[in-house]
Amino acid sequence: MTPTKELKKRAREALAEKMGTVILAFVVLIILSFGSGWISNTLFPENSKLNIALGYVFSFIISILINVISAGMLYMYLNIARNKEFSLNDLFYFFKKYPDRVITATFVLAFINVLTMLPYTIYGYSLPTDVSDMNLLMEMAVKSGVLMIIGTVVYEIITIPLEMTCYILADNPQTKGMDALKESIEMMRGNFWRYFLLKLSFVPLMFLSVFTFYIALLWIFPYMAMTEVMFYRDLTGELKVQKEEEERVARDYVNPMFDSYSQNEQPQE
């Protein structure tokens, strides 16, 4: 098993001089996420229970499509980590390669997200809109924030065994969505806490991003995602093979120099 420190080092090396494209891809996802929310609120204003239900369904469908694009971004990260060609077109890779497989897998992840965020969603819809008391507004904001954080944390913990699904589909697009989920669970067996601690190690950076008005997240999230790519490559043994190849190349480079030095040092007869 490769230590987290080395995984992060390899992630930084892989992203060097490529951050422009990576950040742009991340910005595209942000725009799509916020844009879908704006469209949902515009098409289905929360003035009736029917509109609320339709808006919720619409948002769920859009979230699946955005998850497919997110999976494409992970495919792009894999290409970068392997020193292969990459571009923003990679974001739409899974729309061209067996999209039904990815949609099946992301549907499961989206459904889990809906369940874990249900208390937050229900509380949000139950809030009155005509509150003027600042103390009450603050209390509602705190409760809403706590429910959102709890839902996010629970989602992250539940889905850790499924985190390798999109990488598996990127390497084997013919794999069925449910089979990829099962393969991810098997791959993560015995690696749950190692992966959890890896994700947890980025929390301090996220807190520090507050002092940059969250602009630093444009660098932190790609850095975190690439480190997770390295974790996947470590699980498959690919990173070990790469490390052995690097050591072999280093030996092949050093040995001729050493041999040449030894010959020069031999006494002349």
Side-chain angles (χ1 to χ4, degrees), residues 203-215:
V203 172
L205 283 177
M206 292 181 185
F207 276 122
L208 289 175
S209 71
V210 173
F211 299 103
T212 67
F213 301 99
Y214 300 104
I215 295 175

Side-chain angles (χ1 to χ4, degrees), residues 187-237:
M187 185 180 289
M188 289 295 290
R189 197 180 302 277
N191 293 287
F192 180 96
W193 288 110
R194 188 162 76 99
Y195 189 73
F196 178 76
L197 291 175
L198 183 148
K199 292 176 77 74
L200 203 62
S201 68
F202 285 94
V203 172
L205 283 177
M206 292 181 185
F207 276 122
L208 289 175
S209 71
V210 173
F211 299 103
T212 67
F213 301 99
Y214 300 104
I215 295 175
L217 292 177
L218 293 175
W219 175 82
I220 294 171
F221 280 124
Y223 174 34
M224 181 176 177
M226 182 57 77
T227 305
E228 292 169 4
V229 167
M230 295 301 175
F231 186 90
Y232 166 75
R233 297 180 70 220
D234 188 41
L235 291 182
T236 61

Side-chain angles (χ1 to χ4, degrees), residues 170-181:
D171 279 337
N172 305 283
Q174 302 89 346
T175 304
K176 293 182 179 179
M178 294 305 296
D179 290 339
L181 289 167

Side-chain angles (χ1 to χ4, degrees), residues 233-251:
R233 297 180 70 220
D234 188 41
L235 291 182
T236 61
E238 183 181 340
L239 211 57
K240 180 182 178 181
V241 173
Q242 179 181 336
K243 187 174 182 179
E244 291 173 350
E245 178 63 18
E246 291 169 350
E247 291 173 349
R248 185 192 65 78
V249 171
R251 285 196 304 269

Side-chain angles (χ1 to χ4, degrees), residues 87-260:
S87 70
L88 285 178
N89 290 331
D90 291 340
L91 294 177
F92 308 100
Y93 172 79
F94 284 109
F95 285 108
K96 298 176 287 187
K97 291 282 187 178
Y98 303 98
D100 57 308
R101 268 74 163 164
V102 183
I103 289 174
T104 298
T106 54
F107 178 86
V108 173
L109 294 172
F111 184 70
I112 293 173
N113 186 47
V114 168
L115 291 180
T116 54
M117 297 302 291
L118 201 56
Y120 165 75
T121 304
I122 292 174
Y123 180 75
Y125 283 134
S126 66
L127 293 177
T129 58
D130 55 348
V131 178
S132 57
D133 187 339
M134 289 301 298
N135 290 330
L136 183 56
L137 283 172
M138 183 64 69
E139 181 183 342
M140 291 189 300
V142 170
K143 286 183 179 179
S144 182
V146 169
L147 287 174
M148 183 179 68
I149 292 172
I150 291 174
T152 302
V153 171
V154 172
Y155 172 79
E156 290 293 336
I157 292 174
I158 291 176
T159 57
I160 281 179
L162 308 175
E163 290 275 4
M164 301 297 114
T165 301
C166 291
Y167 302 118
I168 293 168
L169 289 171
D171 279 337
N172 305 283
Q174 302 89 346
T175 304
K176 293 182 179 179
M178 294 305 296
D179 290 339
L181 289 167
K182 293 175 183 177
E183 189 174 336
S184 176
I185 293 173
E186 186 61 32
M187 185 180 289
M188 289 295 290
R189 197 180 302 277
N191 293 287
F192 180 96
W193 288 110
R194 188 162 76 99
Y195 189 73
F196 178 76
L197 291 175
L198 183 148
K199 292 176 77 74
L200 203 62
S201 68
F202 285 94
V203 172
L205 283 177
M206 292 181 185
F207 276 122
L208 289 175
S209 71
V210 173
F211 299 103
T212 67
F213 301 99
Y214 300 104
I215 295 175
L217 292 177
L218 293 175
W219 175 82
I220 294 171
F221 280 124
Y223 174 34
M224 181 176 177
M226 182 57 77
T227 305
E228 292 169 4
V229 167
M230 295 301 175
F231 186 90
Y232 166 75
R233 297 180 70 220
D234 188 41
L235 291 182
T236 61
E238 183 181 340
L239 211 57
K240 180 182 178 181
V241 173
Q242 179 181 336
K243 187 174 182 179
E244 291 173 350
E245 178 63 18
E246 291 169 350
E247 291 173 349
R248 185 192 65 78
V249 171
R251 285 196 304 269
D252 291 345
Y253 177 77
V254 172
N255 288 342
M257 295 177 59
F258 181 77
D259 292 342
S260 176

Side-chain angles (χ1 to χ4, degrees), residues 260-269:
S260 176
Y261 175 78
S262 299
Q263 291 174 5
N264 292 334
E265 287 294 310
Q266 289 180 358
Q268 299 294 327
E269 296 182 359

